[in-house]
Short mmCIF file of all heavy atoms in Angstrom, two decimals:
data_model
loop_
_atom_site.label_atom_id
_atom_site.label_comp_id
_atom_site.label_asym_id
_atom_site.label_seq_id
_atom_site.Cartn_x
_atom_site.Cartn_y
_atom_site.Cartn_z
N ILE A 4 9.50 110.09 54.53
CA ILE A 4 9.21 108.57 54.97
C ILE A 4 7.98 108.55 55.65
O ILE A 4 7.80 109.38 56.65
CB ILE A 4 10.36 107.87 55.70
CG1 ILE A 4 11.69 107.96 54.88
CG2 ILE A 4 10.00 106.51 56.09
CD1 ILE A 4 12.54 109.13 55.03
N LEU A 18 6.91 101.36 56.57
CA LEU A 18 7.44 102.72 56.45
C LEU A 18 7.91 102.70 54.93
O LEU A 18 8.57 101.90 54.45
CB LEU A 18 8.63 102.92 57.29
CG LEU A 18 8.32 103.09 58.78
CD1 LEU A 18 9.63 103.20 59.62
CD2 LEU A 18 7.45 104.33 58.99
N ASP A 20 9.21 105.22 51.46
CA ASP A 20 9.78 106.37 50.82
C ASP A 20 8.60 106.92 49.84
O ASP A 20 8.06 106.28 48.97
CB ASP A 20 10.93 106.03 49.89
CG ASP A 20 12.09 105.54 50.75
OD1 ASP A 20 12.58 106.30 51.64
OD2 ASP A 20 12.67 104.49 50.47
N ASN A 313 16.17 107.23 55.06
CA ASN A 313 15.28 106.55 54.06
C ASN A 313 14.51 105.44 54.82
O ASN A 313 14.82 105.15 55.92
CB ASN A 313 16.04 106.05 52.96
CG ASN A 313 17.12 105.03 53.24
OD1 ASN A 313 16.91 104.24 54.11
ND2 ASN A 313 18.32 105.18 52.61
N ALA A 314 13.51 104.88 54.00
CA ALA A 314 12.57 104.04 54.64
C ALA A 314 13.32 102.58 55.14
O ALA A 314 13.11 102.30 56.28
CB ALA A 314 11.51 103.59 53.83
N ALA A 315 14.17 102.25 54.37
CA ALA A 315 15.01 101.06 54.86
C ALA A 315 15.71 101.12 56.04
O ALA A 315 15.75 100.44 57.00
CB ALA A 315 15.91 100.54 53.73
N ASN A 316 16.50 102.26 56.26
CA ASN A 316 17.20 102.56 57.45
C ASN A 316 16.22 102.84 58.64
O ASN A 316 16.67 102.50 59.83
CB ASN A 316 18.20 103.66 57.23
CG ASN A 316 19.47 103.27 56.33
OD1 ASN A 316 19.73 101.99 56.20
ND2 ASN A 316 20.04 104.20 55.63
N LEU A 317 15.21 103.58 58.35
CA LEU A 317 14.29 103.81 59.49
C LEU A 317 13.68 102.47 59.98
O LEU A 317 13.41 102.32 61.17
CB LEU A 317 13.28 104.72 59.07
CG LEU A 317 13.55 106.26 59.36
CD1 LEU A 317 12.46 107.17 58.69
CD2 LEU A 317 13.61 106.56 60.80
N ARG A 318 13.38 101.57 59.02
CA ARG A 318 12.84 100.39 59.49
C ARG A 318 13.78 99.57 60.39
O ARG A 318 13.51 99.02 61.47
CB ARG A 318 12.43 99.40 58.28
CG ARG A 318 11.11 99.85 57.61
CD ARG A 318 10.54 98.86 56.61
NE ARG A 318 11.45 98.56 55.61
CZ ARG A 318 11.42 99.17 54.36
NH1 ARG A 318 10.51 100.10 54.13
NH2 ARG A 318 12.22 98.85 53.37
N ARG A 319 15.13 99.64 60.09
CA ARG A 319 16.11 99.08 60.80
C ARG A 319 16.17 99.79 62.20
O ARG A 319 16.29 99.05 63.27
CB ARG A 319 17.52 99.22 60.14
CG ARG A 319 17.79 98.29 58.97
CD ARG A 319 19.30 98.11 58.80
NE ARG A 319 19.97 99.37 58.48
CZ ARG A 319 20.98 99.87 59.23
NH1 ARG A 319 21.42 99.11 60.28
NH2 ARG A 319 21.43 100.97 58.92
N ALA A 320 16.01 101.05 62.25
CA ALA A 320 16.12 101.77 63.56
C ALA A 320 14.87 101.43 64.40
O ALA A 320 15.03 101.25 65.66
CB ALA A 320 16.14 103.23 63.23
N LEU A 335 19.97 109.20 62.21
CA LEU A 335 20.06 109.13 60.76
C LEU A 335 20.42 110.49 60.20
O LEU A 335 19.94 111.49 60.71
CB LEU A 335 18.92 108.59 59.97
CG LEU A 335 18.48 107.05 60.30
CD1 LEU A 335 17.65 106.97 61.57
CD2 LEU A 335 17.81 106.48 59.08
#
Side-chain angles (χ1 to χ4, degrees):
I4 298 88
L18 293 170
D20 294 302
N313 57 42
N316 286 338
L317 268 174
R318 285 195 295 270
R319 287 200 302 123
L335 295 85

